[in-house]
Amino acid sequence: MKKALGVLLLVLVVLTSMCISSNQSTTSPIDRTNTPSSSNTTTETFTLDKAKFHFYMYGLATCPHCKKMKEEIPKFFGKEALTYYELQGNDYNGKMFEQLYQILGVTGVPVIGIFYDGKLYAIVNGEFPVEYADDLVEEAKKAKGVLFITDKTYLIPENKTEIINKLEYIFTNGEPSEI
């Protein structure tokens, strides 16, 4: 558990240099209690079945962090593991992203929904090391909710089913764009 929490801390450090706006919404139905952190950042081998991962990403073609994630996710998990939703020039995806803003307060890209075996476990606003995806899923399972990682780490408790269902819908129902 310390390893996973340490990884979350590392991810947060990486995210501070992303295309993320510092303008975060202050009203949200999410429990914004910070997850405990640890100083242990050692990594172990990937433990979950890579074939059960799927990533849904809202992004912009002009964003270097979106571009990197569009390269790294397929490289590590395979081309079929990523569904990309371009925001520029796509009104439908823009409306879906607006719903993410209303729920989570996100204003920057990329915003990536991490699904494992068809279920949403984490949402990352920014770039992250894809080899830590299993740690994020494992930590979300232990915490019994969906992790939301932005400038801080938050937990959307599993009993917030209406919010989680809405987020799952937003991530799985955008208009896919070419990667």
Side-chain angles (χ1 to χ4, degrees):
M1 181 166 181
K2 282 187 175 185
K3 176 189 85 99
L5 291 173
V7 168
L8 289 176
L9 181 60
L10 177 63
V11 169
L12 290 175
V13 171
V14 172
L15 289 174
T16 60
S17 64
M18 304 303 145
C19 289
I20 302 174
S21 169
S22 62
N23 178 17
Q24 295 292 322
S25 173
T26 58
T27 58
S28 176
I30 307 170
D31 174 6
R32 292 194 178 256
T33 307
N34 289 332
T35 324
S37 62
S38 167
S39 60
N40 181 2
T41 58
T42 60
T43 59
E44 295 176 11
T45 59
F46 201 87
T47 58
L48 297 175
D49 182 356
K50 286 184 183 181
K52 292 184 178 184
F53 276 87
H54 197 87
F55 301 82
Y56 296 89
M57 181 171 101
Y58 284 90
L60 291 168
T62 56
C63 171
H65 306 291
C66 298
K67 180 180 178 184
K68 183 172 181 186
M69 295 310 296
K70 287 189 323 187
E71 293 169 358
E72 294 299 317
I73 292 169
K75 190 185 306 180
F76 196 81
F77 290 94
K79 186 178 179 189
E80 298 302 315
L82 174 63
T83 301
Y84 175 71
Y85 305 128
E86 176 62 43
L87 293 170
Q88 188 172 0
N90 187 311
D91 291 337
Y92 180 79
N93 287 344
K95 288 176 184 174
M96 296 296 269
F97 188 82
E98 173 65 25
Q99 291 179 56
L100 287 175
Y101 167 75
Q102 291 171 357
I103 297 170
L104 302 172
V106 295
T107 57
V109 294
V111 179
I112 304 166
I114 302 172
F115 285 68
Y116 184 75
D117 204 16
K119 181 179 176 189
L120 178 64
Y121 282 98
I123 300 166
V124 179
N125 186 196
E127 194 177 307
F128 74 99
V130 295
E131 62 271 15
Y132 293 148
D134 66 333
D135 293 320
L136 297 176
V137 169
E138 291 288 1
E139 189 59 31
K141 286 180 178 182
K142 289 177 193 170
K144 297 185 179 184
V146 174
L147 295 178
F148 171 45
I149 303 167
T150 185
D151 59 333
K152 296 180 182 175
T153 302
Y154 303 104
L155 177 68
I156 305 168
E158 66 184 6
N159 65 352
K160 299 282 187 178
T161 54
E162 185 177 335
I163 293 168
I164 293 171
N165 289 341
K166 180 78 168 178
L167 290 167
E168 286 181 341
Y169 178 83
I170 293 166
F171 279 111
T172 59
N173 286 282
E175 289 181 351
S177 309
E178 276 193 42
I179 295 175

